[in-house]
Amino acid sequence: MPISRRMVGTVFVGGALVLTLSALAYPAMLGVETTSANQDRVIANTRYGPLTEADRDFVVKVRAAGLWEHPLGLLAMQKGTTAAMKEAGEHLVVGHGRLDAACRKIAPELGITLPNQASPQQQQFVATVNSKTGKEFDATGVAIMRVTHGQIFPVIAKIRASTQNTLVRQLADQANDTVLDHITVLEKTGLVNFDANNFQQTTPPKLPKDQTTPPPPQPGTPVLTLQIPKGLEDLNTASPAPSPSAG
């Protein structure tokens, strides 16, 4: 029986790339391990409602996600070999540019210090994808991004369901829309291996905290801004409507 291009792509992603993903290890997109055993502890009473450790960590980790997914999106726009891959890159850049603007707006209101660098693990994600070229670049980037985006849903849902802080609630709403949009455009590339993806999403190995924690910013350092490229300011990154399965 002849082997279709789609089958070749599936075998490629499900074979060699699974080894790459296992070697990298996957915590949740927004950071992985909790910084305290009591994430429900209120650390500040603000005019927007109480702020818990979980709320603060969520804002920090949304910011950290943008610090690696925004540059990865720029790489996809430059190095992607298909229109669908370049489109996915645009959505990553714009979606995280908007989330980042929200984080930078609410952080001073809530007394939260934002990182200027992604965690070492997240930086390695970008380096790994950037080291690839051609079809391998596309497949590696999609594999990493689809797993990490799939893992963030329960994190967002838990924050949205539990937070009493209105600013954090709004950020969770925006993050949920953005993540669903990104999952959708990544799946449109045709490179998602759902079996391998689901396994990686549900069995992430744990890494040392110093690998999964963004380093604190240097005192006095300006807060880095994730820019949205000209021409993409009006790109729709809202949660998409369901569509029939192609398979």
Side-chain angles (χ1 to χ4, degrees):
M1 156 174 145
I3 299 177
S4 69
R5 181 178 301 176
R6 181 173 184 179
M7 290 176 63
V8 170
T10 299
V11 170
F12 175 69
V13 175
L17 276 180
V18 167
L19 298 177
T20 301
L21 303 188
S22 299
L24 284 173
Y26 282 104
M29 180 180 89
L30 293 188
V32 238
E33 302 188 36
T34 57
T35 57
S36 166
N38 185 10
Q39 288 280 287
D40 295 330
R41 182 173 70 89
V42 175
I43 58 174
N45 287 301
T46 77
R47 62 194 182 104
Y48 304 99
L51 184 76
T52 66
E53 289 197 19
D55 294 336
R56 177 197 59 197
D57 291 350
F58 180 70
V59 176
V60 169
K61 291 168 184 176
V62 169
R63 161 74 170 179
L67 292 172
W68 73 278
E69 293 183 39
H70 184 277
L72 192 53
L74 291 173
L75 286 172
M77 290 170 60
Q78 298 164 6
K79 297 177 63 174
T81 66
T82 66
M85 189 64 185
K86 292 180 183 295
E87 180 186 18
E90 292 177 352
H91 280 246
L92 289 170
V93 169
V94 174
H96 281 288
R98 291 172 180 165
L99 279 175
D100 188 68
C103 288
R104 287 184 287 106
K105 181 178 180 179
I106 72 174
E109 296 281 347
L110 300 177
I112 296 175
T113 300
L114 297 176
N116 269 336
Q117 295 181 55
S119 72
Q121 186 207 30
Q122 293 168 334
Q123 294 180 45
Q124 183 59 48
F125 285 161
V126 180
T128 297
V129 178
N130 194 30
S131 69
K132 311 298 182 182
T133 58
K135 299 290 185 183
E136 192 175 5
F137 169 87
D138 295 349
T140 304
V142 169
I144 289 177
M145 295 305 303
R146 181 57 180 82
V147 169
T148 52
H149 279 77
Q151 287 175 329
I152 189 52
F153 268 127
V155 178
I156 298 172
K158 185 176 181 179
I159 288 291
R160 180 61 182 82
S162 63
T163 186
Q164 298 181 57
N165 189 283
T166 58
L167 292 184
V168 175
R169 192 176 302 139
Q170 290 170 6
L171 181 64
D173 286 341
Q174 184 180 349
N176 188 73
D177 269 4
T178 302
V179 169
L180 183 53
D181 172 67
H182 291 176
I183 285 176
T184 302
V185 292
L186 289 166
E187 290 171 351
K188 283 172 62 177
T189 65
L191 295 174
V192 175
N193 180 319
F194 287 94
D195 290 337
N197 182 88
N198 291 339
F199 175 78
Q200 291 288 345
Q201 280 181 193
T202 56
T203 57
K206 290 187 176 180
L207 294 177
K209 187 182 294 185
D210 64 350
Q211 292 298 303
T212 61
T213 303
Q218 294 296 317
T221 304
V223 178
L224 179 68
T225 298
L226 301 182
Q227 300 287 349
I228 295 177
K230 290 184 177 180
L232 295 180
E233 297 92 344
D234 296 328
L235 185 70
N236 182 10
T237 58
S239 176
S243 59
S245 171

